PDB file of all heavy atoms in Angstrom:
ATOM      1  N   LEU V  63       8.042  28.240 -16.434  1.00 88.00           N
ATOM      2  CA  LEU V  63       7.740  29.345 -17.199  1.00 88.00           C
ATOM      3  C   LEU V  63       8.354  29.265 -18.646  1.00 88.00           C
ATOM      4  O   LEU V  63       7.670  29.524 -19.653  1.00 88.00           O
ATOM      5  CB  LEU V  63       8.239  30.607 -16.506  1.00 88.00           C
ATOM      6  CG  LEU V  63       8.026  31.926 -17.315  1.00 88.00           C
ATOM      7  CD1 LEU V  63       6.544  32.253 -17.546  1.00 88.00           C
ATOM      8  CD2 LEU V  63       8.725  33.052 -16.513  1.00 88.00           C
ATOM      9  N   MET V  64       9.614  28.833 -18.693  1.00 87.00           N
ATOM     10  CA  MET V  64      10.380  28.821 -19.925  1.00 87.00           C
ATOM     11  C   MET V  64      10.306  27.455 -20.557  1.00 87.00           C
ATOM     12  O   MET V  64      11.287  26.630 -20.447  1.00 87.00           O
ATOM     13  CB  MET V  64      11.834  29.183 -19.647  1.00 87.00           C
ATOM     14  CG  MET V  64      11.984  30.618 -19.004  1.00 87.00           C
ATOM     15  SD  MET V  64      11.311  31.899 -20.021  1.00 87.00           S
ATOM     16  CE  MET V  64      12.388  31.898 -21.388  1.00 87.00           C
ATOM     17  N   LEU V  65       9.184  27.123 -21.252  1.00 91.00           N
ATOM     18  CA  LEU V  65       9.082  25.928 -22.010  1.00 91.00           C
ATOM     19  C   LEU V  65       9.259  26.224 -23.456  1.00 91.00           C
ATOM     20  O   LEU V  65       8.995  27.292 -23.959  1.00 91.00           O
ATOM     21  CB  LEU V  65       7.604  25.402 -21.769  1.00 91.00           C
ATOM     22  CG  LEU V  65       7.277  24.858 -20.445  1.00 91.00           C
ATOM     23  CD1 LEU V  65       5.855  24.532 -20.266  1.00 91.00           C
ATOM     24  CD2 LEU V  65       8.130  23.674 -19.977  1.00 91.00           C
ATOM     25  N   PRO V  66       9.770  25.189 -24.247  1.00 88.00           N
ATOM     26  CA  PRO V  66       9.943  25.352 -25.646  1.00 88.00           C
ATOM     27  C   PRO V  66       8.617  25.442 -26.429  1.00 88.00           C
ATOM     28  O   PRO V  66       7.665  24.804 -26.028  1.00 88.00           O
ATOM     29  CB  PRO V  66      10.678  24.153 -26.081  1.00 88.00           C
ATOM     30  CG  PRO V  66      10.303  23.102 -25.121  1.00 88.00           C
ATOM     31  CD  PRO V  66      10.092  23.859 -23.725  1.00 88.00           C
ATOM     32  N   GLY V  67       8.565  26.302 -27.398  1.00 87.00           N
ATOM     33  CA  GLY V  67       7.350  26.496 -28.217  1.00 87.00           C
ATOM     34  C   GLY V  67       6.226  27.153 -27.425  1.00 87.00           C
ATOM     35  O   GLY V  67       6.150  28.415 -27.540  1.00 87.00           O
ATOM     36  N   MET V  68       5.344  26.519 -26.772  1.00 92.00           N
ATOM     37  CA  MET V  68       4.284  27.009 -25.897  1.00 92.00           C
ATOM     38  C   MET V  68       4.824  27.290 -24.455  1.00 92.00           C
ATOM     39  O   MET V  68       5.078  26.400 -23.803  1.00 92.00           O
ATOM     40  CB  MET V  68       3.082  26.179 -25.901  1.00 92.00           C
ATOM     41  CG  MET V  68       1.916  26.743 -25.221  1.00 92.00           C
ATOM     42  SD  MET V  68       0.564  25.531 -24.934  1.00 92.00           S
ATOM     43  CE  MET V  68       0.200  25.048 -26.581  1.00 92.00           C
ATOM     44  N   ASP V  69       4.957  28.541 -24.129  1.00 89.00           N
ATOM     45  CA  ASP V  69       5.576  28.855 -22.785  1.00 89.00           C
ATOM     46  C   ASP V  69       4.630  28.563 -21.668  1.00 89.00           C
ATOM     47  O   ASP V  69       3.390  28.289 -21.832  1.00 89.00           O
ATOM     48  CB  ASP V  69       6.142  30.192 -22.714  1.00 89.00           C
ATOM     49  CG  ASP V  69       5.136  31.398 -22.830  1.00 89.00           C
ATOM     50  OD1 ASP V  69       3.852  31.090 -22.643  1.00 89.00           O
ATOM     51  OD2 ASP V  69       5.468  32.557 -23.096  1.00 89.00           O
ATOM     52  N   GLY V  70       5.047  28.641 -20.494  1.00 90.00           N
ATOM     53  CA  GLY V  70       4.153  28.388 -19.281  1.00 90.00           C
ATOM     54  C   GLY V  70       3.078  29.305 -19.068  1.00 90.00           C
ATOM     55  O   GLY V  70       1.942  28.840 -18.635  1.00 90.00           O
ATOM     56  N   LEU V  71       3.231  30.479 -19.535  1.00 88.00           N
ATOM     57  CA  LEU V  71       2.140  31.501 -19.364  1.00 88.00           C
ATOM     58  C   LEU V  71       0.958  31.044 -20.296  1.00 88.00           C
ATOM     59  O   LEU V  71      -0.207  31.116 -19.796  1.00 88.00           O
ATOM     60  CB  LEU V  71       2.594  32.940 -19.802  1.00 88.00           C
ATOM     61  CG  LEU V  71       3.723  33.508 -18.955  1.00 88.00           C
ATOM     62  CD1 LEU V  71       4.103  34.812 -19.615  1.00 88.00           C
ATOM     63  CD2 LEU V  71       3.233  33.620 -17.492  1.00 88.00           C
ATOM     64  N   GLU V  72       1.162  30.628 -21.487  1.00 91.00           N
ATOM     65  CA  GLU V  72       0.169  30.150 -22.427  1.00 91.00           C
ATOM     66  C   GLU V  72      -0.424  28.890 -21.871  1.00 91.00           C
ATOM     67  O   GLU V  72      -1.674  28.701 -22.025  1.00 91.00           O
ATOM     68  CB  GLU V  72       0.702  30.006 -23.897  1.00 91.00           C
ATOM     69  CG  GLU V  72      -0.353  29.590 -24.802  1.00 91.00           C
ATOM     70  CD  GLU V  72      -1.453  30.625 -24.945  1.00 91.00           C
ATOM     71  OE1 GLU V  72      -1.275  31.827 -24.660  1.00 91.00           O
ATOM     72  OE2 GLU V  72      -2.608  30.197 -25.431  1.00 91.00           O
ATOM     73  N   VAL V  73       0.385  28.028 -21.365  1.00 93.00           N
ATOM     74  CA  VAL V  73      -0.177  26.745 -20.803  1.00 93.00           C
ATOM     75  C   VAL V  73      -1.047  27.052 -19.650  1.00 93.00           C
ATOM     76  O   VAL V  73      -2.207  26.509 -19.539  1.00 93.00           O
ATOM     77  CB  VAL V  73       1.048  25.815 -20.323  1.00 93.00           C
ATOM     78  CG1 VAL V  73       0.402  24.589 -19.593  1.00 93.00           C
ATOM     79  CG2 VAL V  73       1.805  25.368 -21.496  1.00 93.00           C
ATOM     80  N   CYS V  74      -0.691  27.963 -18.750  1.00 90.00           N
ATOM     81  CA  CYS V  74      -1.534  28.411 -17.629  1.00 90.00           C
ATOM     82  C   CYS V  74      -2.820  28.939 -18.132  1.00 90.00           C
ATOM     83  O   CYS V  74      -3.952  28.599 -17.578  1.00 90.00           O
ATOM     84  CB  CYS V  74      -0.721  29.417 -16.788  1.00 90.00           C
ATOM     85  SG  CYS V  74      -1.622  29.904 -15.227  1.00 90.00           S
ATOM     86  N   ARG V  75      -2.807  29.791 -19.130  1.00 86.00           N
ATOM     87  CA  ARG V  75      -4.017  30.400 -19.630  1.00 86.00           C
ATOM     88  C   ARG V  75      -4.972  29.356 -20.133  1.00 86.00           C
ATOM     89  O   ARG V  75      -6.191  29.411 -19.934  1.00 86.00           O
ATOM     90  CB  ARG V  75      -3.731  31.408 -20.773  1.00 86.00           C
ATOM     91  CG  ARG V  75      -3.027  32.695 -20.279  1.00 86.00           C
ATOM     92  CD  ARG V  75      -3.004  33.755 -21.420  1.00 86.00           C
ATOM     93  NE  ARG V  75      -2.169  34.876 -21.083  1.00 86.00           N
ATOM     94  CZ  ARG V  75      -0.870  35.010 -21.387  1.00 86.00           C
ATOM     95  NH1 ARG V  75      -0.263  34.145 -22.170  1.00 86.00           N
ATOM     96  NH2 ARG V  75      -0.259  36.076 -21.027  1.00 86.00           N
TER      97      ARG V  75
END
Side-chain angles (χ1 to χ4, degrees):
L63 175 64
M64 301 299 293
L65 293 172
M68 184 189 302
D69 65 18
L71 299 177
E72 182 61 23
V73 174
C74 185
R75 288 190 190 98

